[in-house]
Amino acid sequence: METKIINPSLVRLDADLGSTPDEVISGLAAVVTDAGRSTSVDELAAAAHAREAKSHTGVPGGVAIPHCRCAAVTEPTLGFARLKDPVDFGAPDGPADLTFLIAAPEGGGREHLKILSTLARALVNKEFVASLRAAGSDEEVVALITEVLNNPPKKKKKKPASTEATAAGAGAAAAAAAPAEKQEDAAAPVTRIVAITACPTGIAHTYMAADSLTNTVDEMDGVELTVETQGSSAVTPMDPEVIAAADAVIFATDVGVKDRERFAGKPVIESGVKRAINEPRVMIEEAIAASKDPNAHRVSGNAGAAKAEAADSGSSLSWPKRIQQAIMTGVSYMVPFVAAGGLLLALGFLFGGYDMANAWETIVKDYSITNLPGHDITVDGEVINLTKAGFSLYLGAVLFATGQMAMGFIVAALSGYTAFAIAGRPGIAPGFVGGAISVLLGAGFIGGLVTGVLAGFVAWWIGSWKVHRVIASLMPVVIIPLLTSLIVGLAMFFLLGAPLAGIMNGLTNWLNSMTGTSAVLLGIILGLMMCFDLGGPVNKAAYLFGTAGLSAGDEASLKIMAAVMAAGMVPPIALSIATFVRPRVFTPAEQENGKSSWLLGLSFVSEGAIPFAAADPLRVIPSMMVGGAVTGALSMLFGAGSRAPHGGVFVLFAIEPKIGWLISIIAGVIVSAAAVVLLKMVWPQKIVEKQAEAAKAEAHA
């Protein structure tokens, strides 16, 4: 298959594109755009910068592979630069002098992903990399890359089983031949390892990790390896016979392993995908050792248990970090319930009036579209006079009831999916049960957090038991959920429920008693948290605190929600305004982002500020935190309350007082915009200074 993913106009040899990854990426984005493969250099650079901010793209061998998908890219494209001065892209062995920018169209098909993954895998081939360094012309580079893409280099394998699952059937043949091999060479036992590699984007690191492991095995005696790459290209599942014959498993992934239960009972070594690229031999040796250790940690057959493997299993995460990740997973799954339920509650108030909250259940049960309610509704023998009537009241009650049902799940969802993140599917049911018990006992979201973590670790512990194969098939479906639910229920009713309910009641009473200085102080803290990591764990913790009491509808909870949402709106709006007021202190990519980030801010999407913060965290993040603190303090001072958990200015109808809340946002935006402009003027970015010098030189010329 011939490909035009690269041509001489996309190549730069011995180029000086800057001294930082951002500068090099921006330079390559300009090369791609100049070649007619992108409609906007700024959009492409911003997308690549955002990807680089998530994790470094430097790999061993002096190579960097920044990559992204972007709507501005018109066709699958590869930009290449052999740098005059190597730049540090975060690889463990030092700076990179060979840099590829893989630019994929937004929503592109699988064919170009196959091309891109082929290139990424070729980069672990030392001969190919050396030929790029020795190339004397742009045309020679294009020829080398095109040859690799059209005719991927054959691996020099000593063993037929050292292959990837994408070569269908080869692994099965190796497994079928296993008994014969053992008979033929009983003196040289073979360790059979299966591996899964996967990265978030599924374009580059997935395949580089696979080839790094495979190439390393080819240099080792007595080891056979089969790899399944779970990337963006089509995934061919590993043959079950290969899995059955395996002595150990390697999971080198940054995302969940698909169909993890296939490997249940196998000794497992787990890490992020980059460790397989950087330390393939170490991981393989660990897997060999695990295969011989009867006490080695094993795959429990669920998607989340590996998060809780002990440190010697190959995981680099500490227990506190795993618990934090589990809670963040629970929060992320809970947020849709909060957003949908909270907005429906707000719409219910909009159509039915705020006093409808006292009669909504009676309205939806006793009335219908053909029997509309009037102003007077009898609830528990008492007549309540409502401000609205007819279809508007009935519609409001229906919306409110639907929202209440959604909000009723938030603690259970928080608990259930926190447990899921630790123990996988067997943890979901006991997690939900624990969350429901927390609601029943009045322990609220604090109880939900505790039961989620408790259920997760109990389910993981039970899942680690060594049982007979007949019982093992019942473990994830019956035994683990049953025993875990029982243990969590007993713990909550006999031991934890009352203390947690007491903590929750104390917190509620403290919030309701806040006035004046104490309320302003809480607003400052919430504002700082919302603007610290712009959608990260600290931001999510503040948002969870804000949404936790929303279903109760008490005044303190509404004030907290208003302060959280207002502060979260500040960063994108402030940065957008700053790019308009002082564009010369921002890069072209940031100026382009500023054209749309204001809308994200108005919608309460704090993540709209991430590209700015990723490119310049030391100036941007403190500036945003100052403005967020101002907004949080003023929102509390004005006593603004929000009945909606999301939506920004588009749910203004659910916020009172509206003017005070808007003033708090405007004040914070002004402070943040002024602070970031001042910092960038007093302490300019090097990349901005270089761009300004280049512009002056061009003007003089």
Side-chain angles (χ1 to χ4, degrees), residues 348-508:
F349 286 128
L350 176 65
F351 287 98
Y354 289 114
D355 53 359
M356 173 270 305
N358 300 318
W360 65 271
E361 191 170 357
T362 299
I363 295 172
V364 296
K365 287 182 177 179
D366 297 347
Y367 296 89
S368 68
I369 193 70
T370 58
N371 178 30
L372 296 173
H375 288 283
D376 295 329
I377 304 296
T378 302
V379 180
D380 295 333
E382 181 181 351
V383 178
I384 299 177
N385 182 263
L386 303 178
T387 56
K388 294 190 177 183
F391 179 75
S392 178
L393 176 59
Y394 181 69
L395 176 61
V398 169
L399 293 171
F400 191 88
T402 307
Q404 283 280 41
M405 297 306 100
M407 295 296 286
F409 282 103
I410 62 174
V411 174
L414 173 65
S415 178
Y417 288 110
T418 297
F420 165 73
I422 298 172
R425 282 179 290 182
I428 293 179
F432 267 82
V433 170
I437 294 173
S438 296
V439 174
L440 175 66
L441 298 179
F445 82 96
I446 294 178
L449 290 172
V450 172
T451 56
V453 174
L454 176 63
F457 281 110
V458 170
W460 169 79
W461 171 62
I462 296 175
S464 68
W465 294 354
K466 295 179 181 180
V467 297
H468 191 275
R469 181 174 296 181
V470 175
I471 299 177
S473 63
L474 297 175
M475 289 289 284
V477 180
V478 178
I479 297 175
I480 296 176
L482 171 63
L483 293 180
T484 306
S485 297
L486 175 62
I487 292 172
V488 171
L490 292 175
M492 285 298 290
F493 283 112
F494 289 177
L495 183 63
L496 300 175
L500 291 174
I503 294 173
M504 192 66 191
N505 289 333
L507 177 62
T508 301

Side-chain angles (χ1 to χ4, degrees), residues 23-210:
E23 292 174 349
V24 174
I25 289 172
S26 296
L28 281 170
V31 170
V32 171
T33 304
D34 291 342
R37 300 297 189 94
S38 168
T39 59
S40 171
V41 61
D42 295 331
E43 289 185 29
L44 175 55
H49 288 154
R51 170 60 186 85
E52 191 73 21
K54 294 178 181 178
S55 63
H56 297 304
T57 55
V59 296
V63 178
I65 49 168
H67 52 278
C68 67
R69 297 185 189 184
C70 178
V73 178
T74 57
E75 58 183 302
T77 299
L78 176 67
F80 171 76
R82 189 172 68 196
L83 301 177
K84 179 180 178 182
D85 297 313
V87 173
D88 187 3
F89 275 80
D93 60 348
D97 63 328
L98 301 180
T99 308
F100 298 84
L101 175 61
I102 300 175
E106 191 71 48
R110 290 182 176 177
E111 194 60 36
H112 77 272
L113 293 176
K114 292 181 180 179
I115 297 172
L116 302 179
S117 62
T118 300
L119 170 69
R121 299 171 67 174
L123 295 178
V124 299
N125 185 308
K126 296 179 180 179
E127 295 179 0
F128 173 61
V129 174
S131 66
L132 291 175
R133 289 196 172 97
S137 67
D138 298 348
E139 290 75 13
E140 185 177 353
V141 169
V142 172
L144 288 167
I145 294 175
T146 301
E147 174 64 23
V148 165
L149 295 178
N150 293 338
N151 302 289
K154 303 293 184 181
K155 298 185 180 74
K156 298 177 181 179
K157 299 176 183 177
K158 297 178 292 183
K159 299 171 282 294
S162 184
T163 183
E164 290 203 4
T166 49
E181 291 172 3
K182 290 181 179 179
Q183 292 174 3
E184 292 173 6
D185 192 5
V190 174
T191 302
R192 292 175 173 82
I193 301 172
V194 292
I196 300 292
T197 61
C199 66
T201 55
I203 293 178
H205 291 85
T206 297
Y207 304 97
M208 296 184 71

Side-chain angles (χ1 to χ4, degrees), residues 437-585:
I437 294 173
S438 296
V439 174
L440 175 66
L441 298 179
F445 82 96
I446 294 178
L449 290 172
V450 172
T451 56
V453 174
L454 176 63
F457 281 110
V458 170
W460 169 79
W461 171 62
I462 296 175
S464 68
W465 294 354
K466 295 179 181 180
V467 297
H468 191 275
R469 181 174 296 181
V470 175
I471 299 177
S473 63
L474 297 175
M475 289 289 284
V477 180
V478 178
I479 297 175
I480 296 176
L482 171 63
L483 293 180
T484 306
S485 297
L486 175 62
I487 292 172
V488 171
L490 292 175
M492 285 298 290
F493 283 112
F494 289 177
L495 183 63
L496 300 175
L500 291 174
I503 294 173
M504 192 66 191
N505 289 333
L507 177 62
T508 301
N509 293 334
W510 172 64
L511 293 176
N512 285 326
S513 66
M514 284 193 315
T515 57
T517 304
S518 60
V520 170
L521 179 60
L522 179 61
I524 291 173
I525 295 172
L526 292 173
L528 292 171
M529 293 176 67
M530 287 299 296
C531 299
F532 175 69
D533 53 3
L534 305 170
V538 177
N539 173 284
K540 286 293 188 292
Y543 184 70
L544 172 62
F545 187 63
T547 57
L550 198 60
S551 58
D554 59 272
E555 185 178 351
S557 297
L558 301 183
K559 290 179 180 179
I560 292 171
M561 188 70 253
V564 164
M565 184 155 61
M569 294 167 63
V570 167
I573 301 174
L575 288 163
S576 179
I577 292 175
T579 59
F580 282 103
V581 174
R582 285 289 186 275
R584 62 184 178 83
V585 300

Side-chain angles (χ1 to χ4, degrees), residues 116-372:
L116 302 179
S117 62
T118 300
L119 170 69
R121 299 171 67 174
L123 295 178
V124 299
N125 185 308
K126 296 179 180 179
E127 295 179 0
F128 173 61
V129 174
S131 66
L132 291 175
R133 289 196 172 97
S137 67
D138 298 348
E139 290 75 13
E140 185 177 353
V141 169
V142 172
L144 288 167
I145 294 175
T146 301
E147 174 64 23
V148 165
L149 295 178
N150 293 338
N151 302 289
K154 303 293 184 181
K155 298 185 180 74
K156 298 177 181 179
K157 299 176 183 177
K158 297 178 292 183
K159 299 171 282 294
S162 184
T163 183
E164 290 203 4
T166 49
E181 291 172 3
K182 290 181 179 179
Q183 292 174 3
E184 292 173 6
D185 192 5
V190 174
T191 302
R192 292 175 173 82
I193 301 172
V194 292
I196 300 292
T197 61
C199 66
T201 55
I203 293 178
H205 291 85
T206 297
Y207 304 97
M208 296 184 71
D211 276 7
S212 182
L213 290 169
T214 303
N215 290 345
T216 301
V217 163
D218 290 341
E219 300 171 357
M220 302 174 69
D221 293 325
V223 184
E224 294 180 357
L225 176 72
T226 303
V227 184
E228 178 182 309
T229 52
Q230 296 184 350
S232 294
S233 299
V235 177
T236 301
M238 197 178 296
D239 193 293
E241 294 183 17
V242 175
I243 299 174
D247 299 304
V249 180
I250 291 175
F251 291 149
T253 72
D254 291 333
V255 293
V257 176
K258 297 176 183 176
D259 300 323
R260 181 190 179 94
E261 59 274 8
R262 295 176 292 165
F263 307 92
K266 299 289 183 181
V268 62
I269 300 300
E270 183 166 9
S271 76
V273 69
K274 278 195 172 183
R275 186 169 185 246
I277 300 173
N278 299 337
E279 301 177 346
R281 181 175 289 273
V282 174
M283 290 198 73
I284 293 168
E285 290 174 349
E286 289 175 354
I288 294 172
S291 71
K292 301 174 182 178
D293 182 2
N295 298 317
H297 291 281
R298 297 175 182 270
V299 181
S300 63
N302 55 67
K307 297 290 185 183
E309 299 288 356
D312 61 354
S313 71
S315 173
S316 60
L317 297 179
S318 63
W319 285 102
K321 183 66 175 178
R322 291 173 191 141
I323 294 174
Q324 178 212 332
Q325 287 190 350
I327 292 174
M328 287 301 102
T329 299
V331 171
S332 68
Y333 278 101
M334 179 203 75
V335 166
F337 289 91
V338 175
L343 290 172
L344 285 168
L345 291 178
L347 289 171
F349 286 128
L350 176 65
F351 287 98
Y354 289 114
D355 53 359
M356 173 270 305
N358 300 318
W360 65 271
E361 191 170 357
T362 299
I363 295 172
V364 296
K365 287 182 177 179
D366 297 347
Y367 296 89
S368 68
I369 193 70
T370 58
N371 178 30
L372 296 173

